[in-house]
Amino acid sequence: MTIRLTTAAAAIALLLGGNWALAGDKPTDPQIAHIAYTAGVIDVEAAKQAIATSKNKTVVEFAESMVRDHESVNKQALDLVKKLNVTPEDNDTSKALSQAAETKRSELAKLTGADFDKAYVENEVAYHKQVNGALETLLIPSAQNAELKSLLETGLKLFQGHQQHAEHVATELK
Amino acid sequence: MTAAVNPLRSAILALLLGTAAIVVPARAETIEVTIDRLAYAPVEIEAKVGDEIEWINKDALVHTATVKGGADVLLPAKKSARLLLQEPGSFDYICRYHPNMKGHITVRP
Ligand SMILES: [Cu+2]
């Protein structure tokens, strides 16, 4: 399980970092908006799966926090793109993220009880780590619009908190 | 549980009944704590019994100000809420939803 999780995390890192680096250009604001929004939707969906599946109070409460926060940030993102009159633009990174999430979702769907809890929370740690890394090294530095950059920075701070929260829940499950 | 609700309820009651001015000593103050980007500012508060704390949540996120085994103030996005300090002591508090948000209140008698 650990190996598979690590591989998934590495794959996302590669997708988020590698693609653009290889292409030699940075994502545009409409692409950044789409990636950030997609990343949020993915975590909300994962959380909803956890809320429906888990019987562990700590895990369910963590998942509820993920829904609350990511939906709120995504609403802010939608308001912002509307205000700026930009259309989020689908791109390979967003597609790859969604695909990886779908694989993870069906993987988790086969698990129940403590196995599910452990796998969900470990993936939350890995996922937030990867998204935070992408925000820090690629998305924030590439963002041109000041308001978009500021929203991404707030998101980073929030998701770093999520990562710590997930790490804390993970140690509690051991 | 009772302890968690009481200070807040008393604060609300005092406000509703308009008795705040009578109950609270003349020198009672309102201390403002701003929440911006997942941080309380200031982090450290010095207060005295009878003072009120007002948390002003500038984030578009729901936060709380929660003392373990004590007060639990819900702070909806872009809203503020108050707490009347009724007992002296030294209190660490956190946001239940974002446990890395931390603050501290010292209440003198
Ligand atoms: Cu919070």
mmCIF file of all heavy atoms in Angstrom, chain A residues 72-112:
data_model
loop_
_atom_site.group_PDB
_atom_site.id
_atom_site.type_symbol
_atom_site.label_atom_id
_atom_site.label_comp_id
_atom_site.label_asym_id
_atom_site.label_seq_id
_atom_site.Cartn_x
_atom_site.Cartn_y
_atom_site.Cartn_z
ATOM 1 N N SER A 72 -15.409 26.437 0.107
ATOM 2 C CA SER A 72 -15.345 27.881 0.323
ATOM 3 C C SER A 72 -14.275 28.529 -0.561
ATOM 4 O O SER A 72 -14.507 29.572 -1.169
ATOM 5 C CB SER A 72 -15.097 28.139 1.812
ATOM 6 O OG SER A 72 -14.535 29.385 2.000
ATOM 7 N N VAL A 73 -13.100 27.905 -0.639
ATOM 8 C CA VAL A 73 -12.036 28.453 -1.492
ATOM 9 C C VAL A 73 -12.445 28.390 -2.964
ATOM 10 O O VAL A 73 -12.221 29.333 -3.722
ATOM 11 C CB VAL A 73 -10.710 27.697 -1.272
ATOM 12 C CG1 VAL A 73 -9.677 28.103 -2.323
ATOM 13 C CG2 VAL A 73 -10.165 27.988 0.117
ATOM 14 N N ASN A 74 -13.091 27.296 -3.353
ATOM 15 C CA ASN A 74 -13.503 27.172 -4.750
ATOM 16 C C ASN A 74 -14.589 28.189 -5.116
ATOM 17 O O ASN A 74 -14.632 28.681 -6.241
ATOM 18 C CB ASN A 74 -13.955 25.746 -5.057
ATOM 19 C CG ASN A 74 -12.779 24.897 -5.526
ATOM 20 O OD1 ASN A 74 -11.642 25.377 -5.544
ATOM 21 N ND2 ASN A 74 -13.037 23.671 -5.907
ATOM 22 N N LYS A 75 -15.430 28.511 -4.148
ATOM 23 C CA LYS A 75 -16.441 29.539 -4.400
ATOM 24 C C LYS A 75 -15.738 30.882 -4.621
ATOM 25 O O LYS A 75 -16.080 31.633 -5.530
ATOM 26 C CB LYS A 75 -17.409 29.613 -3.221
ATOM 27 C CG LYS A 75 -18.622 30.463 -3.541
ATOM 28 C CD LYS A 75 -19.531 30.670 -2.348
ATOM 29 C CE LYS A 75 -20.508 31.821 -2.603
ATOM 30 N NZ LYS A 75 -19.842 33.113 -2.782
ATOM 31 N N GLN A 76 -14.734 31.146 -3.786
ATOM 32 C CA GLN A 76 -13.961 32.387 -3.962
ATOM 33 C C GLN A 76 -13.271 32.411 -5.320
ATOM 34 O O GLN A 76 -13.187 33.456 -5.963
ATOM 35 C CB GLN A 76 -12.894 32.513 -2.876
ATOM 36 C CG GLN A 76 -13.436 32.801 -1.496
ATOM 37 C CD GLN A 76 -12.302 32.820 -0.480
ATOM 38 O OE1 GLN A 76 -11.465 33.695 -0.485
ATOM 39 N NE2 GLN A 76 -12.258 31.827 0.385
ATOM 40 N N ALA A 77 -12.773 31.257 -5.731
ATOM 41 C CA ALA A 77 -12.099 31.170 -7.027
ATOM 42 C C ALA A 77 -13.072 31.463 -8.166
ATOM 43 O O ALA A 77 -12.755 32.219 -9.090
ATOM 44 C CB ALA A 77 -11.477 29.793 -7.201
ATOM 45 N N LEU A 78 -14.286 30.887 -8.059
ATOM 46 C CA LEU A 78 -15.297 31.135 -9.097
ATOM 47 C C LEU A 78 -15.692 32.608 -9.144
ATOM 48 O O LEU A 78 -15.829 33.201 -10.222
ATOM 49 C CB LEU A 78 -16.544 30.279 -8.845
ATOM 50 C CG LEU A 78 -16.455 28.806 -9.228
ATOM 51 C CD1 LEU A 78 -17.818 28.142 -9.082
ATOM 52 C CD2 LEU A 78 -15.950 28.632 -10.660
ATOM 53 N N ASP A 79 -15.886 33.191 -7.945
ATOM 54 C CA ASP A 79 -16.223 34.622 -7.889
ATOM 55 C C ASP A 79 -15.125 35.456 -8.542
ATOM 56 O O ASP A 79 -15.405 36.424 -9.249
ATOM 57 C CB ASP A 79 -16.402 35.075 -6.431
ATOM 58 C CG ASP A 79 -17.667 34.492 -5.810
ATOM 59 O OD1 ASP A 79 -18.503 33.951 -6.562
ATOM 60 O OD2 ASP A 79 -17.816 34.577 -4.574
ATOM 61 N N LEU A 80 -13.893 35.060 -8.283
ATOM 62 C CA LEU A 80 -12.764 35.828 -8.813
ATOM 63 C C LEU A 80 -12.670 35.731 -10.335
ATOM 64 O O LEU A 80 -12.520 36.749 -11.011
ATOM 65 C CB LEU A 80 -11.452 35.358 -8.166
ATOM 66 C CG LEU A 80 -10.193 36.076 -8.637
ATOM 67 C CD1 LEU A 80 -10.248 37.567 -8.323
ATOM 68 C CD2 LEU A 80 -8.941 35.454 -8.008
ATOM 69 N N VAL A 81 -12.784 34.515 -10.875
ATOM 70 C CA VAL A 81 -12.661 34.391 -12.331
ATOM 71 C C VAL A 81 -13.814 35.125 -13.042
ATOM 72 O O VAL A 81 -13.634 35.681 -14.123
ATOM 73 C CB VAL A 81 -12.574 32.919 -12.828
ATOM 74 C CG1 VAL A 81 -11.325 32.254 -12.326
ATOM 75 C CG2 VAL A 81 -13.806 32.119 -12.482
ATOM 76 N N LYS A 82 -14.969 35.151 -12.364
ATOM 77 C CA LYS A 82 -16.099 35.879 -12.922
ATOM 78 C C LYS A 82 -15.788 37.379 -12.949
ATOM 79 O O LYS A 82 -15.992 38.059 -13.952
ATOM 80 C CB LYS A 82 -17.336 35.609 -12.054
ATOM 81 C CG LYS A 82 -18.650 35.689 -12.823
ATOM 82 C CD LYS A 82 -19.722 34.961 -12.042
ATOM 83 C CE LYS A 82 -21.044 35.685 -12.054
ATOM 84 N NZ LYS A 82 -21.963 35.102 -11.055
ATOM 85 N N LYS A 83 -15.271 37.838 -11.816
ATOM 86 C CA LYS A 83 -14.935 39.260 -11.685
ATOM 87 C C LYS A 83 -13.855 39.652 -12.699
ATOM 88 O O LYS A 83 -13.911 40.719 -13.300
ATOM 89 C CB LYS A 83 -14.458 39.514 -10.259
ATOM 90 C CG LYS A 83 -14.155 40.962 -9.954
ATOM 91 C CD LYS A 83 -13.629 41.125 -8.533
ATOM 92 C CE LYS A 83 -12.699 42.326 -8.470
ATOM 93 N NZ LYS A 83 -11.807 42.254 -7.320
ATOM 94 N N LEU A 84 -12.886 38.798 -12.867
ATOM 95 C CA LEU A 84 -11.775 39.101 -13.775
ATOM 96 C C LEU A 84 -12.135 38.808 -15.234
ATOM 97 O O LEU A 84 -11.370 39.108 -16.134
ATOM 98 C CB LEU A 84 -10.535 38.283 -13.390
ATOM 99 C CG LEU A 84 -9.964 38.506 -11.994
ATOM 100 C CD1 LEU A 84 -8.796 37.563 -11.741
ATOM 101 C CD2 LEU A 84 -9.522 39.949 -11.804
ATOM 102 N N ASN A 85 -13.306 38.189 -15.373
ATOM 103 C CA ASN A 85 -13.762 37.862 -16.718
ATOM 104 C C ASN A 85 -12.803 36.922 -17.463
ATOM 105 O O ASN A 85 -12.568 37.086 -18.656
ATOM 106 C CB ASN A 85 -13.983 39.153 -17.514
ATOM 107 C CG ASN A 85 -15.115 38.993 -18.508
ATOM 108 O OD1 ASN A 85 -15.770 37.942 -18.541
ATOM 109 N ND2 ASN A 85 -15.345 40.010 -19.314
ATOM 110 N N VAL A 86 -12.242 35.971 -16.730
ATOM 111 C CA VAL A 86 -11.427 34.950 -17.399
ATOM 112 C C VAL A 86 -12.191 33.625 -17.371
ATOM 113 O O VAL A 86 -12.987 33.382 -16.477
ATOM 114 C CB VAL A 86 -10.041 34.736 -16.744
ATOM 115 C CG1 VAL A 86 -9.202 35.973 -16.836
ATOM 116 C CG2 VAL A 86 -10.171 34.270 -15.319
ATOM 117 N N THR A 87 -11.957 32.813 -18.360
ATOM 118 C CA THR A 87 -12.572 31.497 -18.396
ATOM 119 C C THR A 87 -11.515 30.472 -18.036
ATOM 120 O O THR A 87 -10.493 30.370 -18.721
ATOM 121 C CB THR A 87 -13.105 31.192 -19.810
ATOM 122 O OG1 THR A 87 -13.887 32.306 -20.232
ATOM 123 C CG2 THR A 87 -13.950 29.939 -19.812
ATOM 124 N N PRO A 88 -11.727 29.723 -16.916
ATOM 125 C CA PRO A 88 -10.762 28.686 -16.572
ATOM 126 C C PRO A 88 -10.546 27.750 -17.762
ATOM 127 O O PRO A 88 -11.516 27.366 -18.424
ATOM 128 C CB PRO A 88 -11.428 27.951 -15.412
ATOM 129 C CG PRO A 88 -12.359 28.950 -14.827
ATOM 130 C CD PRO A 88 -12.849 29.789 -15.978
ATOM 131 N N GLU A 89 -9.312 27.426 -18.017
ATOM 132 C CA GLU A 89 -9.014 26.661 -19.221
ATOM 133 C C GLU A 89 -8.509 25.268 -18.869
ATOM 134 O O GLU A 89 -7.500 25.118 -18.163
ATOM 135 C CB GLU A 89 -7.947 27.418 -20.027
ATOM 136 C CG GLU A 89 -7.635 26.779 -21.363
ATOM 137 C CD GLU A 89 -6.379 27.410 -21.969
ATOM 138 O OE1 GLU A 89 -6.277 28.648 -22.006
ATOM 139 O OE2 GLU A 89 -5.492 26.639 -22.376
ATOM 140 N N ASP A 90 -9.228 24.272 -19.334
ATOM 141 C CA ASP A 90 -8.827 22.887 -19.088
ATOM 142 C C ASP A 90 -7.443 22.654 -19.712
ATOM 143 O O ASP A 90 -7.070 23.298 -20.690
ATOM 144 C CB ASP A 90 -9.855 21.935 -19.705
ATOM 145 C CG ASP A 90 -9.795 20.548 -19.075
ATOM 146 O OD1 ASP A 90 -8.956 20.339 -18.170
ATOM 147 O OD2 ASP A 90 -10.578 19.659 -19.477
ATOM 148 N N ASN A 91 -6.695 21.754 -19.088
ATOM 149 C CA ASN A 91 -5.321 21.524 -19.553
ATOM 150 C C ASN A 91 -4.874 20.143 -19.099
ATOM 151 O O ASN A 91 -5.568 19.482 -18.329
ATOM 152 C CB ASN A 91 -4.401 22.607 -18.964
ATOM 153 C CG ASN A 91 -4.501 22.650 -17.456
ATOM 154 O OD1 ASN A 91 -3.863 21.871 -16.778
ATOM 155 N ND2 ASN A 91 -5.347 23.537 -16.925
ATOM 156 N N ASP A 92 -3.726 19.709 -19.556
ATOM 157 C CA ASP A 92 -3.245 18.351 -19.278
ATOM 158 C C ASP A 92 -3.055 18.088 -17.789
ATOM 159 O O ASP A 92 -3.310 16.979 -17.306
ATOM 160 C CB ASP A 92 -1.919 18.110 -20.018
ATOM 161 C CG ASP A 92 -2.143 17.970 -21.513
ATOM 162 O OD1 ASP A 92 -3.318 17.820 -21.913
ATOM 163 O OD2 ASP A 92 -1.155 18.023 -22.280
ATOM 164 N N THR A 93 -2.597 19.106 -17.051
ATOM 165 C CA THR A 93 -2.383 18.912 -15.616
ATOM 166 C C THR A 93 -3.707 18.649 -14.906
ATOM 167 O O THR A 93 -3.809 17.726 -14.090
ATOM 168 C CB THR A 93 -1.691 20.143 -15.007
ATOM 169 O OG1 THR A 93 -0.482 20.369 -15.720
ATOM 170 C CG2 THR A 93 -1.380 19.924 -13.545
ATOM 171 N N SER A 94 -4.727 19.439 -15.241
ATOM 172 C CA SER A 94 -6.055 19.232 -14.646
ATOM 173 C C SER A 94 -6.580 17.838 -14.988
ATOM 174 O O SER A 94 -7.115 17.130 -14.126
ATOM 175 C CB SER A 94 -7.050 20.273 -15.167
ATOM 176 O OG SER A 94 -6.748 21.546 -14.656
ATOM 177 N N LYS A 95 -6.408 17.453 -16.234
ATOM 178 C CA LYS A 95 -6.896 16.139 -16.677
ATOM 179 C C LYS A 95 -6.187 15.019 -15.929
ATOM 180 O O LYS A 95 -6.806 14.058 -15.477
ATOM 181 C CB LYS A 95 -6.676 15.978 -18.183
ATOM 182 C CG LYS A 95 -7.633 16.819 -19.025
ATOM 183 C CD LYS A 95 -7.633 16.341 -20.491
ATOM 184 C CE LYS A 95 -8.486 17.250 -21.360
ATOM 185 N NZ LYS A 95 -7.701 18.358 -21.979
ATOM 186 N N ALA A 96 -4.864 15.168 -15.812
ATOM 187 C CA ALA A 96 -4.078 14.137 -15.130
ATOM 188 C C ALA A 96 -4.462 14.032 -13.656
ATOM 189 O O ALA A 96 -4.562 12.930 -13.102
ATOM 190 C CB ALA A 96 -2.596 14.455 -15.272
ATOM 191 N N LEU A 97 -4.702 15.183 -13.042
ATOM 192 C CA LEU A 97 -5.122 15.192 -11.640
ATOM 193 C C LEU A 97 -6.455 14.454 -11.480
ATOM 194 O O LEU A 97 -6.612 13.630 -10.579
ATOM 195 C CB LEU A 97 -5.305 16.637 -11.155
ATOM 196 C CG LEU A 97 -4.087 17.379 -10.612
ATOM 197 C CD1 LEU A 97 -4.465 18.816 -10.276
ATOM 198 C CD2 LEU A 97 -3.517 16.694 -9.375
ATOM 199 N N SER A 98 -7.400 14.764 -12.341
ATOM 200 C CA SER A 98 -8.719 14.132 -12.262
ATOM 201 C C SER A 98 -8.624 12.626 -12.464
ATOM 202 O O SER A 98 -9.295 11.847 -11.787
ATOM 203 C CB SER A 98 -9.662 14.720 -13.321
ATOM 204 O OG SER A 98 -9.800 16.103 -13.110
ATOM 205 N N GLN A 99 -7.773 12.241 -13.393
ATOM 206 C CA GLN A 99 -7.622 10.819 -13.689
ATOM 207 C C GLN A 99 -7.000 10.065 -12.502
ATOM 208 O O GLN A 99 -7.470 9.004 -12.117
ATOM 209 C CB GLN A 99 -6.745 10.656 -14.915
ATOM 210 C CG GLN A 99 -6.975 9.344 -15.647
ATOM 211 C CD GLN A 99 -6.518 9.452 -17.098
ATOM 212 O OE1 GLN A 99 -5.631 10.265 -17.399
ATOM 213 N NE2 GLN A 99 -7.094 8.677 -17.990
ATOM 214 N N ALA A 100 -5.966 10.667 -11.927
ATOM 215 C CA ALA A 100 -5.323 10.055 -10.754
ATOM 216 C C ALA A 100 -6.314 9.942 -9.607
ATOM 217 O O ALA A 100 -6.329 8.960 -8.866
ATOM 218 C CB ALA A 100 -4.105 10.880 -10.335
ATOM 219 N N ALA A 101 -7.166 10.966 -9.472
ATOM 220 C CA ALA A 101 -8.152 10.965 -8.388
ATOM 221 C C ALA A 101 -9.184 9.868 -8.587
ATOM 222 O O ALA A 101 -9.614 9.221 -7.631
ATOM 223 C CB ALA A 101 -8.836 12.329 -8.312
ATOM 224 N N GLU A 102 -9.558 9.656 -9.836
ATOM 225 C CA GLU A 102 -10.550 8.624 -10.136
ATOM 226 C C GLU A 102 -9.990 7.241 -9.797
ATOM 227 O O GLU A 102 -10.676 6.399 -9.213
ATOM 228 C CB GLU A 102 -10.916 8.708 -11.614
ATOM 229 C CG GLU A 102 -12.325 8.260 -11.900
ATOM 230 C CD GLU A 102 -12.647 8.394 -13.377
ATOM 231 O OE1 GLU A 102 -12.707 9.555 -13.839
ATOM 232 O OE2 GLU A 102 -12.782 7.354 -14.046
ATOM 233 N N THR A 103 -8.738 7.025 -10.156
ATOM 234 C CA THR A 103 -8.074 5.765 -9.823
ATOM 235 C C THR A 103 -8.057 5.560 -8.318
ATOM 236 O O THR A 103 -8.381 4.477 -7.811
ATOM 237 C CB THR A 103 -6.624 5.775 -10.354
ATOM 238 O OG1 THR A 103 -6.661 6.142 -11.723
ATOM 239 C CG2 THR A 103 -5.961 4.430 -10.182
ATOM 240 N N LYS A 104 -7.684 6.621 -7.595
ATOM 241 C CA LYS A 104 -7.613 6.539 -6.137
ATOM 242 C C LYS A 104 -8.987 6.255 -5.541
ATOM 243 O O LYS A 104 -9.136 5.448 -4.621
ATOM 244 C CB LYS A 104 -7.026 7.853 -5.599
ATOM 245 C CG LYS A 104 -6.951 7.990 -4.104
ATOM 246 C CD LYS A 104 -6.248 6.856 -3.401
ATOM 247 C CE LYS A 104 -4.763 6.818 -3.697
ATOM 248 N NZ LYS A 104 -4.089 5.693 -2.976
ATOM 249 N N ARG A 105 -9.999 6.897 -6.109
ATOM 250 C CA ARG A 105 -11.351 6.729 -5.594
ATOM 251 C C ARG A 105 -11.818 5.282 -5.714
ATOM 252 O O ARG A 105 -12.392 4.722 -4.789
ATOM 253 C CB ARG A 105 -12.317 7.672 -6.331
ATOM 254 C CG ARG A 105 -13.642 7.860 -5.625
ATOM 255 C CD ARG A 105 -14.398 9.113 -6.066
ATOM 256 N NE ARG A 105 -14.344 9.324 -7.500
ATOM 257 C CZ ARG A 105 -13.889 10.435 -8.078
ATOM 258 N NH1 ARG A 105 -13.447 11.418 -7.331
ATOM 259 N NH2 ARG A 105 -13.871 10.556 -9.384
ATOM 260 N N SER A 106 -11.551 4.660 -6.853
ATOM 261 C CA SER A 106 -12.009 3.273 -7.004
ATOM 262 C C SER A 106 -11.158 2.325 -6.157
ATOM 263 O O SER A 106 -11.633 1.299 -5.692
ATOM 264 C CB SER A 106 -12.021 2.853 -8.482
ATOM 265 O OG SER A 106 -10.871 3.293 -9.126
ATOM 266 N N GLU A 107 -9.907 2.715 -5.929
ATOM 267 C CA GLU A 107 -9.041 1.943 -5.039
ATOM 268 C C GLU A 107 -9.607 1.970 -3.608
ATOM 269 O O GLU A 107 -9.724 0.942 -2.951
ATOM 270 C CB GLU A 107 -7.661 2.609 -5.061
ATOM 271 C CG GLU A 107 -6.471 1.695 -4.931
ATOM 272 C CD GLU A 107 -5.193 2.517 -5.038
ATOM 273 O OE1 GLU A 107 -4.889 2.986 -6.150
ATOM 274 O OE2 GLU A 107 -4.534 2.714 -4.010
ATOM 275 N N LEU A 108 -9.971 3.168 -3.162
ATOM 276 C CA LEU A 108 -10.510 3.330 -1.809
ATOM 277 C C LEU A 108 -11.883 2.664 -1.668
ATOM 278 O O LEU A 108 -12.250 2.201 -0.583
ATOM 279 C CB LEU A 108 -10.632 4.820 -1.455
ATOM 280 C CG LEU A 108 -9.317 5.550 -1.151
ATOM 281 C CD1 LEU A 108 -9.553 7.050 -1.003
ATOM 282 C CD2 LEU A 108 -8.660 4.997 0.104
ATOM 283 N N ALA A 109 -12.626 2.614 -2.779
ATOM 284 C CA ALA A 109 -13.981 2.042 -2.740
ATOM 285 C C ALA A 109 -13.964 0.569 -2.368
ATOM 286 O O ALA A 109 -14.969 0.018 -1.920
ATOM 287 C CB ALA A 109 -14.671 2.250 -4.084
ATOM 288 N N LYS A 110 -12.797 -0.071 -2.550
ATOM 289 C CA LYS A 110 -12.701 -1.499 -2.236
ATOM 290 C C LYS A 110 -12.414 -1.733 -0.761
ATOM 291 O O LYS A 110 -12.419 -2.872 -0.294
ATOM 292 C CB LYS A 110 -11.593 -2.139 -3.070
ATOM 293 C CG LYS A 110 -11.946 -2.214 -4.542
ATOM 294 C CD LYS A 110 -10.776 -2.771 -5.345
ATOM 295 C CE LYS A 110 -10.949 -2.487 -6.826
ATOM 296 N NZ LYS A 110 -9.734 -1.924 -7.429
ATOM 297 N N LEU A 111 -12.100 -0.662 -0.041
ATOM 298 C CA LEU A 111 -11.716 -0.807 1.360
ATOM 299 C C LEU A 111 -12.855 -0.411 2.298
ATOM 300 O O LEU A 111 -13.732 0.366 1.926
ATOM 301 C CB LEU A 111 -10.502 0.079 1.664
ATOM 302 C CG LEU A 111 -9.259 -0.152 0.807
ATOM 303 C CD1 LEU A 111 -8.199 0.891 1.124
ATOM 304 C CD2 LEU A 111 -8.706 -1.558 1.017
ATOM 305 N N THR A 112 -12.803 -0.975 3.524
ATOM 306 C CA THR A 112 -13.779 -0.613 4.552
ATOM 307 C C THR A 112 -13.065 -0.458 5.888
ATOM 308 O O THR A 112 -11.895 -0.830 6.034
ATOM 309 C CB THR A 112 -14.866 -1.701 4.719
ATOM 310 O OG1 THR A 112 -14.209 -2.958 4.916
ATOM 311 C CG2 THR A 112 -15.799 -1.772 3.528
#
